[in-house]
Amino acid sequence: MNWNGVIVGAAVFLCIGIFHPLVIRWEYRWGKKVWWVFLALGLIFTAASLLIPSFIGSTIAGAVAFSSFWSIHEVIKQEKRVLKGWFPENPARHSYYESKRKESRD
């Protein structure tokens, strides 16, 4: 039996399950300016994927890399979801959200 697909599938599932709440929490805490952290993670894991000799390890590193890249898009969309009231806003950043709402009305 070849378990490679099951292992990679489980790792990708876990990766998506980790990045989803990270996007929500990091946007809540720091806003969309956290996108560069996801970019750095993506670049690091892309390089790791190219350097890891193991098929499974390389594939998992690639999945983490592209989950990081996708999270850049999601953190920007998350701010829009917060502005629409679909997710709670950080009270410490209320003035930032209010200025964004004012910009969209003008």
Side-chain angles (χ1 to χ4, degrees):
M1 270 201 228
N2 186 348
W3 288 90
N4 291 348
V6 173
I7 293 168
V8 169
V12 170
F13 181 74
L14 182 64
C15 182
I16 292 168
I18 290 170
F19 274 90
H20 178 68
L22 274 182
V23 165
I24 294 168
R25 287 187 183 127
W26 288 6
E27 192 285 327
Y28 180 85
R29 188 167 289 180
W30 296 297
K32 71 178 179 182
K33 65 184 174 189
V34 76
W35 71 267
W36 65 268
V37 176
F38 290 115
L39 176 63
L41 283 172
L43 293 173
I44 289 167
F45 277 95
T46 297
S49 177
L50 294 171
L51 298 173
I52 294 172
S54 160
F55 172 77
I56 292 176
S58 176
T59 304
I60 292 171
V64 172
F66 282 87
S67 291
S68 297
F69 293 142
W70 183 255
S71 293
I72 295 169
H73 170 73
E74 283 300 316
V75 79
I76 293 166
K77 288 189 72 158
Q78 180 64 18
E79 181 182 86
K80 292 177 184 176
R81 292 180 202 120
V82 171
L83 290 170
K84 290 178 182 178
W86 297 352
F87 283 84
E89 70 179 47
N90 185 341
R93 298 177 55 243
H94 180 73
S95 60
Y96 170 79
Y97 288 119
E98 281 303 309
S99 68
K100 286 295 205 179
R101 287 184 187 104
K102 187 175 191 267
E103 284 176 17
S104 68
R105 281 181 269 181
D106 294 338

